[in-house]
Amino acid sequence: MIKIERPPAGDDARAIGPFAGGKSSTSRRSTYGKESIALDLRTEADRAIFEDLLATADVLVENFRPGVLERLGYGWTALHERRRR
């Protein structure tokens, strides 16, 4: 599983204590076993990376406000047309 976070700081949970070894215990629990990458889907370079990840993905789970993925061109309709599986 790969978690896409927003740059530059990543998920807000990274700033929530308690901290162990300089890292958030809260964040560690919620991201255990996951890889993560910070991408700004408004930039072409990061969109290209996201497209590469989508090419091999089986599932996309998003946590944006309603309509954000559609505005970025990654809503259900757009993705289903390109990737029927």
Side-chain angles (χ1 to χ4, degrees), residues 22-50:
K23 295 186 178 182
S24 166
S25 296
T26 302
S27 178
R28 283 184 179 183
R29 279 192 310 274
S30 66
T31 60
Y32 182 80
K34 298 177 187 161
E35 296 181 51
S36 65
I37 185 170
L39 296 177
D40 182 348
L41 297 179
R42 296 170 294 180
T43 68
E44 288 303 315
D46 286 1
R47 287 175 71 92
I49 294 167
F50 187 63

